Amino acid sequence: MYVAALSYLSKLTGNPNPLEDPITCCMVIALKRRAGILRDKYLPITIEVLRSLLGALESVCITPYECMLFRAIFTVAFFGALRIGEMVAKHRDVVQPELLYLSDLQLMERRVVLFLRNSPVGQERHVISLGLSGEPWVCPVLALRSYLRVRSQLEGPLFVHSDNRTVTKREFLRVLRWALQLLGLSPEQYGVHSFWLGTAVTTARCGYPGEDVTRLARWPCVIPERS
């Protein structure tokens, strides 16, 4: 409450909003974590859960096209640590600047490169490079390659249905929750950020340095862990 009041007074007096400063923002988040105020609402989708989700898609999706579509979305979401707004539309027929388009993807023999659209003005676009996985079942490159073979070549959002309708957040969540329910997992414990969170958790669990986890998750700074 006091922080919000400080932000309001700063705007009222024409001064910079302290909460827009990345360092201040991270300090506030860290303090909330230490006080037990900030808790993760959803569980992360780990690599183990991802494997099971991909297996459930054949029972959840109506057509082979939809199965390839959501296999591509799920694997790219996990290995690319993408935000929900970069993959699917929050609302249909509403302009969404950060949404990935077909032209933002470069498919090579052993690699896929994604050029994100939400980079700050004046800076180079953030690039995510995904290589072939040693485990074909969860490989994002193979999943994207299969999907792009059946996708229309018309320019537009990257992830679309067979009739070129953009996949929406609601549809993404519906397929995810059906698959989770089929696996005997609680759909209420997972949400739109579970893939992104799972990437960070899995990377940290594999022993990568905090700086690498931060860079992958595109956090502005490293947030101290609660002791």
Side-chain angles (χ1 to χ4, degrees), residues 106-135:
Q106 186 177 355
L107 181 62
M108 294 175 277
E109 185 178 352
R110 302 181 60 83
R111 185 166 299 278
V112 169
V113 179
L114 298 170
F115 298 88
L116 301 187
R117 291 173 166 252
N118 59 349
S119 302
V121 177
Q123 294 186 16
E124 292 185 4
R125 294 175 67 181
H126 190 90
V127 176
I128 292 179
S129 180
L130 303 174
L132 278 173
S133 170
E135 187 178 349

Side-chain angles (χ1 to χ4, degrees), residues 48-99:
E48 294 83 7
V49 175
L50 176 65
R51 291 189 186 105
S52 300
L53 282 175
L54 297 179
L57 285 178
E58 292 185 3
S59 301
V60 170
C61 297
I62 299 175
T63 66
Y65 180 95
E66 292 288 301
C67 189
M68 285 186 278
L69 167 63
F70 282 97
R71 172 177 282 272
I73 293 176
F74 285 1
T75 54
V76 171
F78 181 85
F79 287 98
L82 295 182
R83 272 64 165 178
I84 185 69
E86 294 166 341
M87 299 180 296
V88 300
K90 296 173 185 176
H91 303 284
R92 206 181 301 280
D93 301 324
V94 175
V95 176
Q96 193 168 313
E98 71 270 27
L99 190 63

Side-chain angles (χ1 to χ4, degrees), residues 199-210:
T199 309
V201 169
T202 302
T203 306
R205 194 176 63 184
C206 290
Y208 285 88

Side-chain angles (χ1 to χ4, degrees), residues 9-203:
L9 288 173
S10 298
K11 293 179 181 178
L12 197 64
T13 56
N15 293 310
N17 183 358
L19 294 185
E20 292 179 355
D21 177 67
I23 296 177
T24 304
C25 184
C26 286
M27 288 174 62
V28 171
I29 293 175
L31 288 171
K32 285 183 177 181
R33 284 189 183 276
R34 288 184 181 278
I37 298 172
L38 187 65
R39 296 183 177 88
D40 292 324
K41 185 178 180 181
Y42 297 117
L43 292 176
I45 288 178
T46 60
I47 186 65
E48 294 83 7
V49 175
L50 176 65
R51 291 189 186 105
S52 300
L53 282 175
L54 297 179
L57 285 178
E58 292 185 3
S59 301
V60 170
C61 297
I62 299 175
T63 66
Y65 180 95
E66 292 288 301
C67 189
M68 285 186 278
L69 167 63
F70 282 97
R71 172 177 282 272
I73 293 176
F74 285 1
T75 54
V76 171
F78 181 85
F79 287 98
L82 295 182
R83 272 64 165 178
I84 185 69
E86 294 166 341
M87 299 180 296
V88 300
K90 296 173 185 176
H91 303 284
R92 206 181 301 280
D93 301 324
V94 175
V95 176
Q96 193 168 313
E98 71 270 27
L99 190 63
L100 281 167
Y101 272 57
L102 180 62
S103 56
D104 298 323
L105 177 145
Q106 186 177 355
L107 181 62
M108 294 175 277
E109 185 178 352
R110 302 181 60 83
R111 185 166 299 278
V112 169
V113 179
L114 298 170
F115 298 88
L116 301 187
R117 291 173 166 252
N118 59 349
S119 302
V121 177
Q123 294 186 16
E124 292 185 4
R125 294 175 67 181
H126 190 90
V127 176
I128 292 179
S129 180
L130 303 174
L132 278 173
S133 170
E135 187 178 349
W137 179 251
V138 296
C139 180
V141 178
L142 296 180
L144 268 173
R145 190 174 292 162
S146 297
Y147 164 64
L148 291 173
R149 286 197 193 103
V150 297
R151 183 200 183 279
S152 164
Q153 294 306 301
L154 292 174
E155 174 59 359
L158 176 58
F159 297 114
V160 295
H161 296 285
S162 57
D163 59 1
N164 290 321
R165 288 183 300 109
T166 308
V167 178
T168 64
K169 176 181 173 181
R170 177 178 294 183
E171 292 165 340
F172 172 89
L173 282 173
R174 183 169 65 238
V175 171
L176 174 61
R177 286 167 178 165
W178 282 353
L180 288 167
Q181 193 168 18
L182 188 65
L183 296 172
L185 299 174
S186 175
E188 294 76 19
Q189 292 184 315
Y190 296 86
V192 294
H193 301 298
S194 290
F195 284 93
W196 171 77
L197 181 60
T199 309
V201 169
T202 302
T203 306

